[in-house]
């Protein structure tokens, strides 16, 4: 097993711990009695909700746990049992503190005093005013949050008792502490320093501080927080669906939006190098709180939720190690926000089951690694793979190397097209000096076909086979095995025009270490087809031919269409690295990265015939395309400030293009 | 396309862009109001023909702000028929079409507006929103497809014929999703009658008054909470009409969902409801020429029923 294999499969860096936010507002307190009426609890609002349109899932009613009161013995134990059974590691209780006065403290205090349930927990300081409008605004304040360093010190001392509890959740041995709206705390940096100092004074570990992403701000991290945690649906980019809702109550002034759009936005979110913890929710509808001004997410389903969970578990494992592998769920029981894992009358335990299933599946998926591997790492990995028998060399006849052109071809289940593809390569006016084929675990006999063909091939042929790991891995290993000075990639079902290599080599020069050509889209029989994709591609090619800057066009579309269309000097790999772990868009990522290191030549003649068929990974219908595209652009834009080939004018042009694509959120905030 | 406006226009826009509301979604409202002022390409006020057009624009705008999008679109079209060079009309009609989720049409209109007045930024911003919206719709569809195997436990093994188990005395309730589904509903009605079943047709389009709801708002006429009883069936034809909790209680008989020219997103929404949010497995069928492809889920394709 190679080192990469070991990392991906054994994944000994620890499981993902799932923590659900826990609302204690399910018992009467004198303050709520006074402000909202006798006996007020969260359930009061939940009972009052009304449907505003056909299919509106209101009012919500609890399932097996009933209209519980958190001061009733046995309830907390039942909740913990249900959570534990479905893979939840612990609860994050909201902690309310108003200058020494605590609210909704009884469940947490009981937890400490009784030592049961035996279920891990942590806290989130819910540092917001309580108002009549449930949104923390200035007017109609019921009780206000007043900040001072003194108060923050006393607060921390009160927390020490919680941190000492053996059930308290720790990260690197440090108690996990969330703050809901850190941006509201004046002198935040001093407060953080104060808290850390206080811990040291008490002889205990400093807290591992996490800021909830309720506001868009870098201030908490800058002030010394260890990480941030997403807090959806905050920061959700609303799709306004009201106009399309039949029977929508005309008095409704709120927002009907899409759960699936939320999931898509989360799946594609570019996290980069930030230490950011992910958060998911099963549904959201605050009709019980806001009535006619509610925000309602439609289209929620345990199936979609489970898919989201699975993806976020994989994302968490791929970016974070050990104790930091934390996934949050909003929420265990935010009933008045229609946001709960607890069983309700409609869905029962389906959301909990979907969570458990997603956690399980997500923990068994191979890690995602988008970063392009360095050339020496790539070569070492290939050698290790051969030594371990994971990459089998079925034929090894390397080419002459110096001055040569290697065609590198990843192969996957294209036995049907191979004869013609290989023939087109052999018929080149400028023949390659070597062909390297890496079979990505095909289930058909393509590799055998290549071996048979290689016996009479007009150039040396290398054939290697691996288990199915994705095209990017096959390409990377092909690059490691190739000996030519120039590499021309090829898909195993596409067709080179006879003049391709000749023309592409002519396009490479001192200024241009990478080139691609115009593309003709063809069907299974090789006949040209017209689709949206081919129309868009033709339009892009026309823009390039008309003199528009490559990066301007490339940012919006992968105008090269496919990795098979790329021809480059192998030495370029020392700067770019190999291909990143994108399932589909690894070529686009490579191209954008290359622009930092070389000019890229576009040859307007259509020298590559790209085959479109049912199983084609280019189809817009593949979720991976949508998810990966944002990562590709985000990764490229992260370095836009230091791109060596863009001046200020070119950068501002790109900023405008990014804005017209609706992707300004990916533009680094500190760059004009 | 509007979000709920915050109290202060300087507050962050609720859409999450990070920009202030007045620079983000607040702009649309501002643009809509700006129609009252002369646009860049409007000729002098003295022209009575232009006064008529200005009034049309006001009407269109009022309709748009009231959510009567088709009416607004029609009014803007009237203005453009008379004067094809008015930036505001192209722009606002594009926005109205966007609000109606018709992304391609919206994009065309807004691009035309940008051509007329390329220096005005608001159309460009709305163009970005249109493209985002279209992209998101395609992405949602892809998400449904990727998650399709997880819907498997809501779907029944496909019987030989959709109405298998229906015979003399069965009650089949056929629920019509949209007017376009009536023809298909009729085919199923005749198939049920052919099995000597009784048929009840629930068609929202022919139901009584638009606000035919019970006082507590929890029932909608046309799709009542009663079940067909043992030996019967509820057949939902078309996925366009939400049915909410109508099938949420356990009842006798089976439930079938027939999709035709529906999106995958609409289908899975109806599937959740048809299953009673997980209480039963649903027989799913797609018509022979439906673009839907449900390889991951056992289903029938086309008749006979």
């Amino acid at each position: 097993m190679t080192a990469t294999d070991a990392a991906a499969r054994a994944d000994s860096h620890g499981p993902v711990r799932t923590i659900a936010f826990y609302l204690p507002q399910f018992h009467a307190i004198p303050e709520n009695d006074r402000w909202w009426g006798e006996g007020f609890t969260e359930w009061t609002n939940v009972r009052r909700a009304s449907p505003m349109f056909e299919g509106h899932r209101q009012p919500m009613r609890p399932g097996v746990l009933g209209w519980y009161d958190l001061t009733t013995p046995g309830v907390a134990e039942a909740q913990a049992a249900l959570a534990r059974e479905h893979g939840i590691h612990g609860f994050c209780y909201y902690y309310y503190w108003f200058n020494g006065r605590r609210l909704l403290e009884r469940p947490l205090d009981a937890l400490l005093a009784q030592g049961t349930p035996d279920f891990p927990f942590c806290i989130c300081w819910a540092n917001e005013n309580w108002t009549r409008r449930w949104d923390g605004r200035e007017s109609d304040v019921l009780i206000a949050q007043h900040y001072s360093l003194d108060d923050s010190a006393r607060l921390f001392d009160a927390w020490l008792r919680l941190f000492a509890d053996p059930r308290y959740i720790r990260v690197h041995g440090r108690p996990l502490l969330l703050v809901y709206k850190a941006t509201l705390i004046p002198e935040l940096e001093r407060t953080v320093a104060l808290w850390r100092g206080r811990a040291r004074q008490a002889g205990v570990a400093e807290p591992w501080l996490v800021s909830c992403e309720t506001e868009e701000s870098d201030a908490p991290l800058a002030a010394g927080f260890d990480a941030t945690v997403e807090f959806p649906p905050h920061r959700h980019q609303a799709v306004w669906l009201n106009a399309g809702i039949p029977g929508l109550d005309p008095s409704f002034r709120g927002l009907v939006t899409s759960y699936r759009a939320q999931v898509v936005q989360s799946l594609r979110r570019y996290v980069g190098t930030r230490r950011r913890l992910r958060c998911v929710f099963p549904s959201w509808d605050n009709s019980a709180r806001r009535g006619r001004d509610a925000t309602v997410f439609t289209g929620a389903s345990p199936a979609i939720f489970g898919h989201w969970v699975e993806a976020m578990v994989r994302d968490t494992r791929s970016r974070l190690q050990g104790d930091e592998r934390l996934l949050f769920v909003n929420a265990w029981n935010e009933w008045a926000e229609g946001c709960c894992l607890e069983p309700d009358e409609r869905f029962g335990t389906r959301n909990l089951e979907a969570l458990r299933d997603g956690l399980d599946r997500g923990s068994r998926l191979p890690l995602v690694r988008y970063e392009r591997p360095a050339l020496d790492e790539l070569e070492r990995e290939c050698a290790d793979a051969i030594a371990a028998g994971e990459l089998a060399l079925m034929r090894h006849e390397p080419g002459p190397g110096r001055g040569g052109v290697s065609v590198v071809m990843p192969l996957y289940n294209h036995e049907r097209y191979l004869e013609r593809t290989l023939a087109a390569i052999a018929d080149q006016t400028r023949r390659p000096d070597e062909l390297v084929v890496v079979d990505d675990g095909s289930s058909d006999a393509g590799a055998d076909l290549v071996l048979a063909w290689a016996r009479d091939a007009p150039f040396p042929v290398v054939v290697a086979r691996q288990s199915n790991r994705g095209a990017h891995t096959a390409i990377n290993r092909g690059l490691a095995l190739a000996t030519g000075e120039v590499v021309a990639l090829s898909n195993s079902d596409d067709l080179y025009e006879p003049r391709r290599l000749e023309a592409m080599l002519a396009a490479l020069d001192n200024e241009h270490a990478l080139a691609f050509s115009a593309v003709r889209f063809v069907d299974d029989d090789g006949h040209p087809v017209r689709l949206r994709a081919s129309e868009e591609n033709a339009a892009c090619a026309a823009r390039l031919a008309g003199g528009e800057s490559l990066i301007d066009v490339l940012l919006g579309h992968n105008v090269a269409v496919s990795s098979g269309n790329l021809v480059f000097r192998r030495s370029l790999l020392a700067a770019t690295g190999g291909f990143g772990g994108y399932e589909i868009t690894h070529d686009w990522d490579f191209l954008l990265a290359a622009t930092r290191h070389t000019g890229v030549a576009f040859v307007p003649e259509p020298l590559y015939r790209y085959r479109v068929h049912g199983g084609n990974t280019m189809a817009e219908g593949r979720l991976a395309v949508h998810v990966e595209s944002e990562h590709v652009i985000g990764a490229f834009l992260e370095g836009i400030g230091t791109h060596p080939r863009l001046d200020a004018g070119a950068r501002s042009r790109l900023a405008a293009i990014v804005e017209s694509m609706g992707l300004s959120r990916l533009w680094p905030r500190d760059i004009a | 396309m509007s979000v709920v406006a915050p109290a202060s226009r300087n507050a962050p826009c609720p859409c999450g862009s990070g920009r202030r509301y007045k620079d983000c979604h607040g702009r649309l409202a501002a643009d809509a109001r700006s129609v009252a002022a002369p646009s860049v390409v409007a000729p002098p006020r003295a022209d009575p023909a232009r006064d008529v057009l200005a009034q049309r624009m006001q009407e269109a705008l009022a309709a748009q702000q009231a959510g009567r999008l088709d009416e607004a679109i029609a009014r803007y079209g009237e203005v453009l028929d008379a004067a094809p060079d008015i930036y505001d009309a192209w722009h606002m009609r594009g926005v109205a079409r966007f609000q109606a989720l018709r992304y391609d049409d919206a994009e065309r209109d807004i691009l035309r507006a940008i051509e007329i007045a390329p220096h005005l930024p608001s159309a460009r911003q709305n163009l970005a929103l249109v493209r985002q919206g279209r992209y998101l719709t395609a992405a949602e569809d892809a998400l449904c497809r990727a998650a399709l195997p997880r819907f498997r436990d809501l779907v029944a093994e496909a019987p030989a014929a959709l109405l298998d188990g229906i015979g003399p005395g069965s009650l089949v309730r056929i629920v019509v999703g949209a007017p376009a589904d009536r023809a298909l509903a009729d085919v199923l009605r005749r198939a049920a009658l052919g099995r000597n079943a009784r048929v009840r047709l629930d068609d929202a389009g022919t139901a009584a008054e638009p606000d035919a709801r019970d006082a507590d708002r929890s029932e909608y006429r046309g799709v009542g909470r009663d079940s067909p009883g043992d030996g019967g069936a509820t057949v939902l034809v078309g996925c366009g009409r939400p049915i909410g909790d109508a099938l949420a209680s356990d009842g006798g008989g089976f439930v079938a969902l027939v999709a035709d020219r529906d999106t995958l997103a609409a289908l899975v929404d109806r599937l959740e409801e048809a299953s009673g949010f997980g209480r039963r497995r649903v027989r799913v069928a797609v018509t022979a020429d439906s673009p839907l492809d449900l390889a991951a889920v056992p289903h029938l394709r086309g008749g006979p029923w």
Side-chain angles (χ1 to χ4, degrees):
Chain A
M1 188 176 276
T2 66
T4 314
D5 259 3
R9 286 175 206 285
D11 188 20
S12 52
H13 296 289
V16 173
R17 293 184 289 172
T18 301
I19 300 173
F21 287 103
Y22 184 100
L23 179 68
Q25 188 154 260
F26 295 90
H27 59 288
I29 61 174
E31 289 83 356
N32 277 341
D33 286 347
R34 188 163 62 247
W35 294 328
W36 300 103
E38 178 92 25
F40 175 88
T41 69
E42 191 79 344
W43 297 126
T44 314
N45 282 334
V46 171
R47 281 193 176 95
R48 284 203 298 241
S50 301
M52 287 283 134
F53 53 88
E54 291 185 49
H56 190 189
R57 298 173 191 165
Q58 289 289 351
M60 290 179 71
R61 298 192 216 289
V64 68
L65 291 175
W67 303 94
Y68 58 78
D69 181 315
L70 286 178
T71 56
T72 305
V75 172
E77 196 68 70
Q79 289 176 319
L82 203 51
R84 195 188 292 118
E85 184 190 329
H86 291 93
I88 294 172
H89 175 75
F91 289 142
C92 178
Y93 287 75
Y94 287 115
Y95 188 96
Y96 303 91
W97 165 281
F98 299 92
N99 303 105
R101 183 172 168 194
R102 292 189 53 206
L103 293 179
L104 300 176
E105 76 284 7
R106 286 173 65 184
L108 193 55
D109 287 354
L111 184 70
L112 277 180
Q114 290 159 15
T116 58
D118 184 15
F119 192 57
F121 72 96
C122 64
I123 60 164
C124 173
W125 181 23
N127 64 315
E128 243 192 338
N129 297 340
W130 278 27
T131 70
R132 290 220 162 270
R133 293 222 15 200
W134 302 101
D135 59 5
R137 281 176 49 220
E138 280 304 307
S139 62
D140 301 327
V141 172
L142 298 165
I143 183 168
Q145 201 80 61
H146 296 297
Y147 300 97
S148 74
L149 288 172
D150 256 351
D151 183 64
S152 295
R154 279 189 297 142
L155 173 56
F156 192 83
D157 290 346
W159 285 337
L160 285 174
R161 218 169 45 108
L162 292 167
F163 297 162
D165 190 292
R167 294 164 292 178
Y168 200 89
I169 297 170
R170 292 174 174 271
V171 177
H172 308 310
R174 297 158 54 189
L176 174 61
L177 174 63
L178 273 62
V179 178
Y180 182 66
K181 272 200 173 159
T183 48
L184 291 179
I185 303 174
E187 301 190 280
L188 184 59
E189 198 170 338
R190 289 183 67 186
T191 306
V192 169
L194 169 81
W195 285 343
R196 296 196 185 287
R198 216 125 183 115
R200 285 195 298 274
Q201 275 177 326
V204 299
E206 297 175 24
W208 204 70
L209 275 167
V210 177
S211 168
C212 297
E213 292 179 10
T214 44
E215 303 288 335
E216 175 137 1
S217 170
D218 291 326
L221 285 175
F225 274 73
D226 294 286
T228 60
V229 62
E230 295 178 327
F231 208 91
H234 284 261
R235 318 276 291 279
H236 169 72
Q237 285 183 280
V239 179
W240 188 76
L241 296 177
N242 298 35
I245 302 288
L248 180 63
D249 191 306
S251 66
F252 184 72
R253 294 183 302 257
L255 169 68
V256 179
T257 186
S258 163
Y259 181 76
R260 286 182 289 259
Q262 165 69 46
V263 175
V264 166
Q265 287 169 33
S266 170
L267 291 176
R268 74 183 187 193
R269 189 173 201 196
Y270 179 65
V271 175
T273 46
R274 289 186 59 142
R275 201 192 262 125
R276 163 181 278 146
L277 306 174
R278 309 305 295 262
C279 182
V280 295
F281 64 85
S283 58
W284 178 275
D285 178 343
N286 63 3
S287 294
R289 279 215 181 132
R290 302 295 308 276
R292 281 169 173 64
D293 296 304
T295 296
V296 180
F297 281 74
T298 55
S301 160
I304 303 287
F305 176 57
H307 186 90
W308 191 10
V309 169
E310 181 183 321
M312 289 299 100
V313 168
R314 184 185 198 190
D315 174 88
T316 300
R317 287 171 54 231
S318 299
R319 285 183 306 106
L320 301 167
Q321 307 296 331
D323 278 7
E324 296 178 14
R325 289 181 162 183
L326 298 164
L327 175 65
F328 281 80
V329 185
N330 189 14
W332 176 252
N333 59 350
E334 284 273 12
W335 282 88
E337 291 182 335
C339 174
C340 36
L341 286 171
E342 276 186 336
D344 78 312
E345 217 177 43
R346 285 184 185 89
F347 288 97
T349 53
R350 282 180 66 211
N351 280 316
L352 281 169
E353 288 159 19
L355 174 69
R356 182 175 54 196
D357 182 71
L359 294 176
D360 178 52
R361 285 177 199 266
S363 66
R364 290 186 278 118
L365 291 172
L367 302 183
V368 174
R369 196 193 154 190
Y370 289 138
E371 296 78 32
R372 292 174 302 282
L375 180 57
D376 55 359
E377 184 194 332
L378 195 150
E379 288 171 338
R380 196 171 44 241
E381 197 280 333
C382 184
D384 286 349
I386 294 172
E390 194 269 305
L391 180 66
L393 277 178
M394 302 170 76
R395 182 188 171 97
H396 194 196
E397 215 193 330
R402 199 167 259 298
V405 176
S406 296
V407 172
V408 171
M409 179 190 298
L411 168 61
Y412 186 67
N413 284 349
H414 281 150
E415 181 184 358
R416 201 182 139 188
Y417 309 101
L418 267 176
E419 292 273 18
R420 300 194 49 197
T421 300
L422 292 168
I425 293 170
D427 285 347
Q428 290 292 296
T429 55
R430 196 291 190 201
R431 268 206 204 119
D433 304 290
E434 170 186 69
L435 169 64
V436 178
V437 177
V438 179
D439 179 32
D440 187 25
S442 297
S443 54
D444 66 12
D448 293 328
L449 193 153
V450 177
L451 284 171
W453 183 88
R455 286 202 287 266
D456 300 311
F459 38 71
V461 177
V462 174
V463 181
R465 178 185 268 161
Q466 63 184 25
S467 55
N468 182 248
R469 298 159 169 277
H472 63 279
T473 306
I475 292 173
N476 282 338
R477 286 170 171 186
L479 294 174
L481 291 168
T483 58
E485 198 173 288
V486 171
V487 171
L489 296 177
S490 174
N491 290 350
S492 43
D493 59 338
D494 296 337
L495 297 161
Y496 278 8
E497 297 294 352
R499 264 188 29 89
R500 177 172 174 81
L501 286 180
E502 181 186 337
M504 301 306 283
L505 283 171
L508 296 180
D509 59 26
N510 288 337
E511 306 300 315
H512 302 90
L514 169 61
F516 64 91
S517 73
V519 170
R520 200 168 268 139
F521 288 63
V522 299
D523 62 15
D524 269 7
D525 302 310
H527 301 136
V529 289
R530 283 185 63 172
L531 326 147
R532 176 181 225 134
S534 63
E535 299 290 292
E536 277 176 359
N537 180 256
C540 289
R543 287 164 66 192
L544 285 180
E548 199 171 327
S549 154
L550 173 81
I551 297 181
D552 289 10
V553 179
L554 190 59
L555 199 55
H557 297 273
N558 179 9
V559 56
V561 177
S562 172
S563 54
N565 189 14
L566 303 178
V567 180
F568 51 89
R569 292 200 198 288
R570 199 174 178 281
S571 55
L572 176 63
L573 297 175
T576 57
F579 283 68
Y582 296 92
E583 191 186 326
I584 296 171
T585 54
H586 44 267
D587 48 346
W588 193 21
D589 171 71
F590 182 81
L591 250 179
L592 283 166
T595 65
R596 296 179 73 94
H597 306 287
T598 178
V600 176
F602 171 63
V603 177
E605 209 185 319
L607 296 168
Y608 191 82
R609 271 191 275 161
Y610 177 74
R611 216 183 285 271
V612 181
H613 37 83
N616 199 296
T617 59
M618 195 190 164
E620 212 182 35
R622 294 285 300 272
L623 183 61
V625 171
H626 296 275
V627 169
E628 292 180 354
S629 297
E630 188 130 327
H631 284 267
V632 168
I633 296 174
F636 177 71
L637 291 180
E638 202 169 45
I640 199 81
T642 56
H643 194 295
R645 286 161 189 267
L646 292 173
D647 60 22
R651 257 204 310 277
S652 67
R653 220 172 44 232
L654 280 175
I657 290 172
V658 166
E659 185 179 7
S660 79
M661 289 162 67
L663 294 177
S664 294
R665 63 181 175 280
L666 298 176
W667 191 270
R669 268 203 289 278
D670 52 342
I671 309 282
Chain B
M1 213 196 49
S2 61
V3 299
V4 179
S8 163
R9 289 175 59 77
N10 284 314
C13 187
C15 81
S17 67
R19 289 184 294 185
R20 292 181 292 187
Y21 175 71
K22 72 182 190 188
D23 297 325
C24 189
H25 279 85
R27 268 194 182 281
L28 167 62
D31 276 341
R33 282 193 290 277
S34 80
V35 170
S39 75
V40 165
V41 291
R45 273 182 186 276
D47 183 348
R50 286 291 177 173
D51 283 343
V52 167
L53 287 180
Q55 188 183 336
R56 282 272 177 282
M57 287 291 288
Q58 299 282 34
E59 287 166 11
L61 186 60
Q64 185 170 8
Q65 288 175 324
R68 300 191 307 273
L69 298 175
D70 284 324
E71 185 188 322
I73 289 166
R75 289 272 170 284
Y76 288 127
E78 288 165 25
V79 171
L80 289 169
D81 284 342
D85 58 347
I86 296 189
Y87 166 84
D88 291 316
W90 285 107
H91 182 200
M92 287 295 109
R93 189 173 73 171
V95 169
R97 284 175 152 160
F98 170 60
Q99 288 171 296
L101 309 179
R102 291 174 220 154
Y103 300 114
D104 290 347
D105 292 339
E107 185 182 44
R108 268 192 289 274
D109 280 355
I110 294 178
L111 283 170
R112 186 81 188 87
I114 292 172
E115 256 177 66
I116 292 171
H119 55 288
L120 294 178
S122 45
R124 250 177 250 282
Q125 287 165 344
N126 285 327
L127 178 64
L129 288 169
V130 169
R131 286 174 171 166
Q132 275 275 75
R134 179 171 55 199
Y135 187 76
L136 263 178
T137 302
E140 286 187 48
D141 186 79
L143 170 62
C144 288
R145 193 144 341 105
L148 208 51
R150 292 174 180 278
F151 284 97
R152 203 188 281 261
D153 47 2
L154 300 180
V155 180
E157 281 304 313
L162 184 71
L163 296 175
D164 266 4
I166 293 297
S170 306
L171 170 63
V172 177
R173 190 174 69 195
I174 296 180
V175 180
V176 182
D181 299 308
R182 281 190 187 131
L184 182 57
D186 201 54
V187 168
L188 286 157
R189 186 180 65 85
R190 283 185 269 118
L193 290 173
R195 291 168 177 258
N196 293 313
R198 294 174 293 130
V199 176
R200 200 178 94 205
L201 201 66
D202 284 337
D203 187 340
T206 61
E209 312 73 39
D211 61 342
R213 301 177 199 163
D214 291 344
D216 73 348
R217 292 172 178 276
S218 60
E219 298 241 352
Y220 292 84
R221 241 177 257 164
V223 187
R225 284 180 180 273
D226 55 316
S227 69
D230 288 331
T234 301
V235 180
L236 306 172
V237 182
C239 301
R241 178 172 154 203
I243 60 166
D245 296 319
L247 293 170
S249 49
D250 296 319
F254 66 84
V255 177
L257 174 63
V258 183
D260 186 19
R261 313 243 114 226
D262 297 292
T263 62
L264 189 55
L267 184 136
V268 300
D269 282 347
R270 295 297 83 73
L271 183 55
E272 273 289 349
E273 293 170 336
S275 74
F277 306 106
R279 272 166 189 73
R280 69 179 73 81
R281 289 177 176 265
V282 176
R283 298 185 186 185
V284 178
V286 297
T287 57
D289 38 46
S290 167
L292 286 172
D293 176 18
L294 300 177
V297 159
H299 67 286
L300 294 166
R301 182 168 270 277
W305 309 107

